[in-house]
């Protein structure tokens, strides 16, 4: 095995993040744990540089590292999206961490390592490298979730996540091993070729597919493997939840497309129906359960489950256009959910509330804080899927891909579920604008939040009104 | 010409900036910034006109360029909605007219609206309107046209209902919106028909048209572009393959449906009922939107799709008939109205009828009517805007819309008087003012294409126009002041008089523009006066003026006697032929009672019932799901294992 300079440049974004993480640790050590703003700065700059490196790689297509890494547009696009997510999470974290009294410098290196894991996952061209990326991401997340060491909920969430995550890793790894036993290789391309030649499934293959499906289902939190996500999302520090519900989910979906949508596509007839049912059950579960929540964080956790259901529709549809649509939806979803969490985090710091993410904290905030009100409204409208937001077009593209491939039932189920979802998303807007404010409505207004809210809402409207560049990019790069 | 996008672009950005940032800070600055934006936009429109005509010359038909465009929404290959700017003689004509009138109306409004509540809001909407109208004018495809068409509808709605505390203004806004929306339904169906057959025809003829268009457009041609729809090959394809509906070709049906939208926007009979009520808006708005620009959008769209209309044949007859009828119908009503703005509104209807009938009598081989229509659109925009703005100055001075409250104002408002007189002479068709030339062209088009009845009606209406216009002129400016307020009327401030004078100059001299040369449709015909038509037309106008002078400069008994002599006919006309009442009867007694009520019952009980059932079911399901979330890892793992087992079973079952 030999590596050339091309290989090194191909993974430049990942290398930059490694350097960033190490630098961040050193800076944190140097500051003796007193002030982590320097660490934050290093991390943010690292994400920017890595993002630029990722974008400058657009157009180069091929495989790197002796066929272990895909150097394609999908990788590039999602590397850039992950960097944006990482960057925004990093800049709006300090205010929250300060509010929660979490003074731990390792937060930022862990965030960086987690994004690194995500990048490795989406670029991986074989199951083993994917697994390494997955573990890198997950282990960083286990620690991030339980970072609020004085809060028992945070500890409990971290513990649950660790146990369930270990469970999932075991299933996934067993599935990979069985797949290797069947095919004799762990490369996606070899798997495709093997099943193209022989699309029948033996018992061993069935076990492999089922175990892999189980592992993915856990990561993207679909029925019946979704229970952990609500508890973990609720217990984790809110910035970590915002990050988890966007980045790692998108990464898992991209790999899901690569493994099930492409590598196992020759045997798609075996798992399509199963996946359709999971999609429908997931949407229904997520939306119905979200209806009755009184806690915004839990509501968003269930909503995130519902969105995983919509996204699965794209994978079931299973053609090029559907993957492009899923890619668009993932990007749009990352923007709107990150925005929603950012807004909710700031709402939760309202004076006189106990910081428990109750819906009541929203009352009457719309007119008192126009920027917050308008941007949270945009995020909610986008999550509902109303024009002219990116969320609308994401749904439009995914569901029309489903209709084109003959999955009418899935599209109808998606639409019916969107109606249910309207109820709980609109409640946020109603409370902000139509309820009388109770008590003190002053909330802190740190600049990074304003930047995050403006950037995200403008992006959502921009790619909602002018979707052409993004969807063209996705059509060009989708596998 | 690559900068053409700035013409609609500047008002758009100004709309955003004024609306979001300047208005909250300073209402006064909002007015000036909005006005400045329109003047800059007008400058760009003129420079584009200059570039275009100095580059391509005049006297022959110039090419239709799309120098700037981008893909907006891609539906499928060849069916991509683009946003762009179409530059051809008629879009340049409209750009010049719209930016000029809009800029002057903005300037005038600074004075007219001074001290009004919502001054900044007014200018924000006026900018929005200007942007939408210019976007409509430069639309290279029918989708952009439709989007901007609806945007001008919205801005019109917002501005008619500007005095939103006044119930009649709110009702008028709603009426305008609903009537035009109803008409737009036809437009939309027409677009869908054209789009459907366009995409079907594309594989056969698209490559050929693309080749012809090479170099003219910056992006590939689409099935919904005007260049494609209007191409003879497309019309031929639709005519030969699409079959017929009720004895009409499909192309004709599509064109007639599109004309329905045009008739709504241009307030043709029987969809005219919204325009007189729209006068509830501020007077400068009436001048800009409901006289000079938005209402001519319908005429413009017919002109834009003229090749398709001409290829289909029948639609042009419909256009000619509706145009001629509206032309006479509205002029007759205008003779009896007492609200100065309503008289002007009916006059606008009548003049729009002229433009439509001119298009209707034109044919593909003899497009003189097309030129005449555009020429009249051009001159009408100036003198009608002037009439409204001058009327605004009157209202500003007298604080009343009723002509019987005015009188003797020629000495108290000298500038307003002279400018109003210029516009009145122009619309009456007195040579050598602008209206004379354009009306002459229209009459000539009717004669040359052998439409004697249309010609006869148009000639009669020319006389009638002079009569009713001089009626309001004599009543408001001559005689003695008839009210307390009219005695103490005062001239408007300079910021309002400057636009009046500018428009008066345009109304006087715009007729000397050799329109046929610019539009390239004159086909060697010399732009000039045709005495065999000009003499009877001028005579008709002079008779109208003389009659008006006889009736309204003397004692009150004279016209009262005439009105009494006409008896029942006068009452019918005075009540606008009871068209509004007929609408009210049909909607209230028939539609509401027999259609809407059963639908409402169905909606309330069956549809709402189903929704409530759905909500109840979801709620029940939610209650059922809640115990599942135990918070215990053991439960979750149990679900996990069962899920995994279930997966294996399902995959296995599929196998066997």
């Amino acid at each position: 095995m030999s590596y050339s300079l091309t290989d090194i440049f191909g993974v430049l974004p990942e290398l930059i993040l490694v350097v960033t993480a190490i630098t961040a640790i050193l800076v944190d050590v140097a500051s003796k744990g007193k002030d982590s703003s320097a660490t934050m700065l290093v991390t943010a700059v690292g994400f920017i540089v890595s993002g630029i490196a990722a974008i400058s790689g657009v157009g180069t297509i091929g495989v790197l590292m002796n066929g272990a890494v895909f150097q394609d547009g999908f990788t590039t696009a999602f590397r850039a999206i992950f960097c944006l997510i990482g960057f925004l999470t990093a800049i709006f974290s300090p205010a929250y961490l300060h509010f929660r009294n979490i003074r731990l410098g390792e937060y930022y290196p862990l965030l960086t390592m987690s994004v690194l894991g995500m990048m490795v996952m989406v670029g991986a061209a074989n199951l083993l490298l994917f697994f390494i990326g997955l573990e890198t991401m997950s282990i960083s997340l286990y620690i991030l979730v339980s970072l609020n060491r004085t809060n028992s909920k945070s500890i409990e969430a971290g513990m649950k996540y660790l146990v369930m995550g270990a469970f999932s890793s075991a299933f996934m790894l067993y599935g990979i091993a069985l797949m290797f036993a069947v095919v004799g290789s762990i490369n996606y391309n070899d798997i495709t070729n093997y099943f193209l030649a022989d699309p029948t499934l033996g018992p061993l293959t069935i076990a492999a597919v089922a175990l892999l499906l189980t592992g993915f289902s856990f990561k993207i939190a679909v029925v019946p493997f979704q229970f952990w996500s609500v508890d973990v999302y609720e217990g984790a520090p809110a910035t970590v939840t915002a990050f988890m519900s966007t980045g790692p989910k998108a990464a898992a979906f991209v790999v899901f497309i690569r493994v099930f949508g492409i590598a196992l596509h020759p045997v798609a007839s075996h798992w399509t129906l199963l996946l359709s049912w999971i999609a429908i059950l997931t949407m229904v579960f997520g939306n119905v359960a979200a209806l009755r929540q009184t806690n915004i964080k839990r509501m968003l956790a269930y909503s995130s489950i519902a969105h995983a259901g919509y996204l699965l529709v794209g994978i079931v549809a299973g053609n090029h256009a559907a993957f492009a649509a899923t890619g668009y939806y993932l990007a749009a979803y990352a923007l709107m959910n990150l925005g929603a969490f950012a807004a909710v985090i700031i709402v939760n710091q309202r004076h006189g509330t106990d910081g428990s993410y109750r819906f009541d904290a929203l009352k009457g905030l719309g007119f008192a804080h126009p920027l917050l009100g308008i941007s949270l409204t945009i995020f909610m409208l986008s999550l509902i899927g109303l024009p002219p937001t990116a969320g609308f077009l994401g749904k439009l593209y995914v569901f029309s891909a489903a209709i084109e491939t003959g999955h009418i039932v899935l599209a109808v189920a998606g639409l019916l579920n969107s109606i249910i979802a309207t109820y709980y998303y609109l409640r946020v807007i109603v409370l902000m604008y139509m309820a009388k404010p109770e008590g003190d409505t002053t909330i802190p207004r740190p600049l990074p939040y304003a930047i995050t809210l403006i950037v995200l809402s403008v992006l959502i409207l921009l790619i909602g009104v002018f979707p052409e560049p993004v969807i063209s990019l996705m059509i060009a790069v989708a596998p | 010409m690559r900068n053409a996008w700035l013409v609609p672009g500047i008002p758009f950005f100004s709309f955003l900036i004024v609306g979001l940032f300047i208005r909250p800070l300073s209402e006064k600055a909002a007015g000036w910034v909005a006005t400045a934006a329109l003047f800059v936009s007008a400058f760009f429109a003129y420079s584009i006109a200059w570039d275009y005509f100095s580059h391509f010359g005049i006297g022959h038909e110039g090419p239709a360029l799309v120098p700037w465009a981008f893909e907006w929404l891609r539906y499928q290959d060849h069916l991509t909605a683009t946003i762009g700017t179409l530059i051809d003689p008629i879009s340049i004509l409209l750009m010049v007219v719209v930016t000029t009138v809009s800029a002057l109306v903005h300037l005038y409004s600074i004075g007219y609206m001074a001290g009004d509540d919502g001054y900044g809001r007014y200018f924000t909407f006026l900018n929005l309107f200007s942007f939408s109208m210019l976007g409509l004018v430069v639309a290279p495809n029918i989708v952009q046209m439709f989007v901007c068409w609806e945007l001008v509808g919205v801005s019109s709605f917002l501005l008619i209902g500007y005095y939103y505390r006044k119930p009649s203004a709110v009702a008028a806004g709603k009426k305008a919106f609903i009537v035009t929306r109803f008409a737009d339904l036809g437009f939309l169906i027409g677009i869908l028909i054209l789009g459907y057959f366009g995409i079907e025809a594309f594989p056969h003829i698209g490559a050929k048209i693309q080749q012809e268009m090479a170099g003219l457009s910056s992006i590939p041609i689409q099935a919904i572009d005007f260049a494609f729809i209007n191409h003879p090959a497309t019309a031929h394809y639709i005519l030969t393959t699409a079959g017929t509906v009720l004895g009409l070709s499909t192309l004709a049906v599509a064109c007639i449906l599109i004309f329905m939208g045009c008739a709504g926007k241009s307030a043709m009979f029987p969809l005219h009922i919204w325009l007189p009520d729209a006068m509830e808006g501020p007077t400068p708005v009436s001048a800009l939107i409901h006289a000079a620009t938005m209402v001519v959008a319908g005429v413009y769209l017919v002109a834009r799709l003229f090749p398709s209309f001409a290829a289909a044949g029948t639609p042009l007859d419909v256009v000619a008939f509706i145009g001629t009828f509206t032309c006479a119908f509205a002029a007759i009503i205008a003779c009896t109205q007492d609200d100065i703005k309503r008289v002007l509104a009916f006059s606008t209807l009548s003049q729009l009828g002229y433009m439509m009938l001119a298009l209707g009598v034109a044919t593909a081989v003899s497009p003189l009517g097309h030129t005449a229509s555009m020429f009249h659109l051009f001159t009408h925009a100036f003198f009608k805007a002037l009439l409204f703005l001058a009327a605004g100055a009157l209202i500003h001075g007298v604080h009343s819309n009723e002509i019987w409250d005015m009188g003797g104002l020629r000495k108290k408002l000298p500038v307003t008087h002279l400018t109003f007189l210029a516009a009145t002479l122009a619309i009456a068709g007195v040579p050598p003012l602008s209206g004379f030339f354009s009306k002459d062209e229209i009459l000539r088009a009717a004669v040359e294409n052998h439409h004697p009845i249309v010609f006869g009606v148009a000639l009669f209406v020319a006389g009638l126009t002079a009569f009713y216009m001089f009626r309001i002129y004599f009543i408001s400016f001559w005689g003695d002041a008839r009210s307390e307020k009219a005695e103490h009327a005062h001239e408007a401030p300079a910021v309002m008089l400057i636009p009046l004078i500018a428009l008066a100059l345009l109304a006087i001299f715009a007729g000397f523009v050799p329109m046929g040369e610019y539009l390239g449709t004159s086909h060697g015909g010399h732009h000039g006066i045709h005495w065999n038509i000009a003499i009877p037309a001028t005579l008709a106008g002079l008779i109208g003026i003389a009659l008006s002078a006889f009736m309204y400069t003397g004692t009150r008994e004279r016209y009262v006697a005439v009105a009494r002599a006409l008896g029942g006919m006068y009452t019918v006309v005075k009540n606008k032929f009871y068209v509004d009442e007929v609408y009210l009867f049909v909607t209230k007694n028939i539609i509401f009672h027999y259609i809407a009520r059963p639908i409402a019952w169905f909606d309330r009980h069956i549809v709402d019932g189903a929704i409530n059932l759905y909500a109840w079911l979801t709620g029940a399901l939610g209650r059922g799901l809640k115990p599942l979330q135990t918070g215990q890892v053991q439960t979750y793992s149990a679900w996990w294992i069962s899920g995994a087992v279930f997966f294996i079973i399902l995959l296995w079952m599929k196998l066997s």
Side-chain angles (χ1 to χ4, degrees), chain B residues 260-335:
Chain B
M260 185 176 157
C262 301
K265 195 65 83 189
S266 287
M268 292 286 111
F269 179 86
L271 296 170
H272 66 277
I273 50 163
W274 66 271
L275 189 60
D277 287 21
M279 297 301 132
E280 290 287 347
T283 306
V285 168
S286 309
L288 176 62
I289 302 185
H290 305 117
T293 58
M294 184 189 83
V295 288
V296 301
V299 177
Y300 179 66
L301 180 56
V302 174
R304 179 57 73 212
L305 284 172
F306 184 73
S308 300
F309 274 71
T314 331
L316 280 184
D317 295 338
V318 176
V319 172
F321 178 76
I322 299 272
T324 313
F325 186 84
T326 310
C327 177
F329 173 82
I332 293 170
I333 297 178
C335 296

Side-chain angles (χ1 to χ4, degrees), chain B residues 514-530:
Chain B
M515 193 56 70
E517 298 286 313
Y518 283 113
L519 298 186
T521 45
S522 57
H523 287 275
H526 187 68
H527 176 79
I529 302 163
H530 307 273

Side-chain angles (χ1 to χ4, degrees), chain B residues 317-498:
Chain B
D317 295 338
V318 176
V319 172
F321 178 76
I322 299 272
T324 313
F325 186 84
T326 310
C327 177
F329 173 82
I332 293 170
I333 297 178
C335 296
T336 60
Q337 300 299 306
D338 295 332
D339 179 323
I340 189 166
K341 284 181 72 183
R342 279 186 189 250
V343 176
L344 293 178
F346 280 104
S347 153
T348 307
L349 290 180
S350 172
Q351 300 298 311
L352 289 167
Y354 267 120
M355 297 174 209
M356 281 290 186
L357 77 85
L359 283 170
V361 298
T363 58
V365 286
S366 168
L368 178 63
H370 183 268
T371 313
S373 175
M374 289 298 110
F375 192 18
H376 197 56
L377 187 160
F378 179 70
T379 58
H380 173 257
F382 299 129
F383 62 68
K384 186 49 68 63
L386 173 56
L387 282 172
F388 268 106
L389 293 187
L394 286 182
I395 296 166
H396 194 258
V398 185
H399 298 285
S400 167
N401 284 7
E402 292 289 313
I403 44 176
W404 300 110
D405 288 346
M406 299 171 186
L409 292 172
R410 72 180 186 281
K411 294 214 182 76
K412 294 192 184 78
L413 290 80
V415 180
T416 309
H417 167 244
L418 283 177
T419 52
F420 194 92
L421 180 61
T424 312
L425 287 169
I427 193 174
V430 174
L433 280 79
S434 61
F436 165 73
F437 292 100
S438 52
K439 209 171 275 181
D440 180 53
E441 291 261 297
I442 291 177
L443 292 170
R444 196 180 120 218
V447 170
E448 290 197 356
N449 287 328
H450 312 294
H451 286 275
I453 300 175
V454 172
F455 174 75
V457 174
L459 191 64
F460 169 67
V461 174
L464 215 51
T465 308
F467 173 76
Y468 69 71
M469 283 311 302
F470 272 91
R471 171 176 173 261
I472 55 172
Y473 167 72
F474 285 129
I475 295 174
S476 2
F477 288 102
W478 291 69
D480 302 319
R482 290 187 198 81
S483 71
E484 184 74 11
K485 280 170 185 158
E487 288 202 26
H488 305 292
H490 53 88
E491 187 63 291
V495 74
M496 286 166 69
L497 296 180
I498 293 165

Side-chain angles (χ1 to χ4, degrees), chain A residues 27-343:
Chain A
V27 169
D28 187 50
V29 170
S31 75
K32 292 180 185 139
K34 276 183 199 138
D35 178 19
S36 54
S37 56
T39 325
M40 191 280 283
L41 216 62
V42 168
T43 314
V45 171
F47 280 128
I48 292 177
V49 176
S50 173
I52 292 169
I55 292 168
S56 64
V58 169
T60 46
I61 286 172
V63 284
L64 302 170
M65 307 275 177
N66 301 313
V69 174
F70 281 123
Q71 166 83 336
D72 62 5
F74 226 43
T75 312
T76 312
F78 277 94
R79 276 172 178 166
I81 291 170
F82 295 153
C83 282
L84 178 67
I85 296 173
F87 171 75
L88 290 175
T89 311
I91 65 164
F92 72 60
S93 286
Y96 173 81
L97 297 179
H98 179 77
F99 174 72
R100 282 287 180 205
N101 224 353
I102 305 172
R103 288 165 205 271
L104 291 172
E106 54 264 46
Y107 178 88
Y108 299 102
L110 284 169
L111 189 68
T112 317
M113 290 310 284
S114 176
V115 173
L116 172 66
M118 282 148 57
M119 285 190 180
V120 173
M121 280 168 75
V122 297
N126 66 47
L127 288 168
L128 204 59
L129 188 61
F130 146 63
F131 188 76
I132 292 170
L134 179 70
E135 288 303 295
T136 312
M137 173 188 89
S138 303
I139 291 171
S140 317
L141 284 177
Y142 300 148
I143 308 171
L144 281 172
V145 167
S146 46
L147 210 57
N148 195 356
R149 286 185 304 204
T150 52
N151 181 328
S152 61
K153 266 202 164 170
S154 178
I155 305 280
E156 184 191 335
M159 197 62 208
K160 270 185 193 162
Y161 192 27
L162 177 65
V163 171
M164 300 306 282
F167 226 75
S168 124
S169 296
F171 273 69
M172 190 76 97
L173 204 53
Y174 202 6
I176 292 172
L178 287 177
M179 194 52 85
F180 180 69
V182 174
V183 180
S185 164
I186 45 167
N187 280 332
Y188 298 162
N189 290 340
D190 296 336
I191 296 173
T192 317
N193 292 334
Y194 177 87
F195 287 113
L196 272 177
D198 176 20
T200 56
L201 295 188
L204 214 53
T205 326
I206 286 180
V209 171
L211 291 174
L212 282 175
L213 197 55
T214 312
F216 279 115
S217 300
F218 169 82
K219 280 294 159 199
I220 58 175
V222 293
V223 169
F225 308 97
Q226 84 293 2
F227 293 109
W228 64 274
S229 72
V230 183
D231 295 355
V232 172
Y233 283 14
E234 192 196 353
T239 48
V240 176
T241 311
F243 175 72
M244 272 180 81
S245 65
T246 51
K249 188 165 250 183
F253 258 104
V254 172
V255 183
F256 202 11
I257 290 177
R258 288 211 198 275
V259 173
F260 274 80
I262 308 291
L264 289 173
H265 191 256
V267 292
S269 61
H270 291 271
W271 47 261
T272 304
L273 191 66
L274 175 59
L275 221 52
S276 313
W277 277 109
I278 298 178
I280 293 177
L281 287 175
T282 306
M283 291 177 208
V284 173
F285 177 88
N287 283 318
V288 169
L291 283 182
R292 313 197 125 259
Q293 299 307 318
T294 49
N295 177 313
I296 311 175
K297 233 171 146 189
R298 276 183 90 87
M299 184 275 271
L300 285 173
Y302 281 112
S303 120
S304 166
I305 293 175
H307 279 276
Y310 304 141
L311 282 159
L312 270 188
V313 173
I315 294 181
V316 172
N319 60 13
H320 178 79
F323 297 148
T326 314
Y328 180 92
Y329 199 125
L330 280 171
Y333 177 71
L335 297 178
M336 60 209 190
N337 217 37
L338 204 60
F341 268 108

Side-chain angles (χ1 to χ4, degrees), chain B residues 63-64 205-217 221 227 231-233:
Chain B
I205 50 182
K208 191 182 125 216
I209 298 177
Q210 228 147 31
Q211 223 164 31
E212 287 174 22
M213 286 285 294
L216 296 181
S217 173
I221 194 166
H231 199 277

Side-chain angles (χ1 to χ4, degrees), chain B residues 15 32 95 106-107 146 184 259 265 304 333 378 388 464 520 556 561 596 631:
Chain B
F15 155 67
W32 285 107
M95 268 196 265
H106 271 77
L107 184 63
F146 187 72
D184 291 346
F259 178 66
K265 195 65 83 189
R304 179 57 73 212
I333 297 178
F378 179 70
F388 268 106
L464 215 51
R556 198 185 168 92

Side-chain angles (χ1 to χ4, degrees), chain B residues 215-241:
Chain B
L216 296 181
S217 173
S218 61
I219 59 172
I221 194 166
Q222 305 292 332
I224 46 172
D225 284 357
F226 287 119
F228 181 83
I229 297 172
N230 279 335
H231 199 277
T234 313
H236 179 75
Y237 180 90
I238 299 179
L239 283 172
T240 49
T241 58

Side-chain angles (χ1 to χ4, degrees), chain A residues 424-441:
Chain A
Y424 57 86
Y425 291 130
L426 274 187
R427 217 167 103 204
V428 172
I429 301 174
V430 168
L431 282 175
M432 274 199 306
Y433 285 102
M434 294 175 195
K436 282 223 168 68
E438 285 168 8
D440 196 356
T441 57

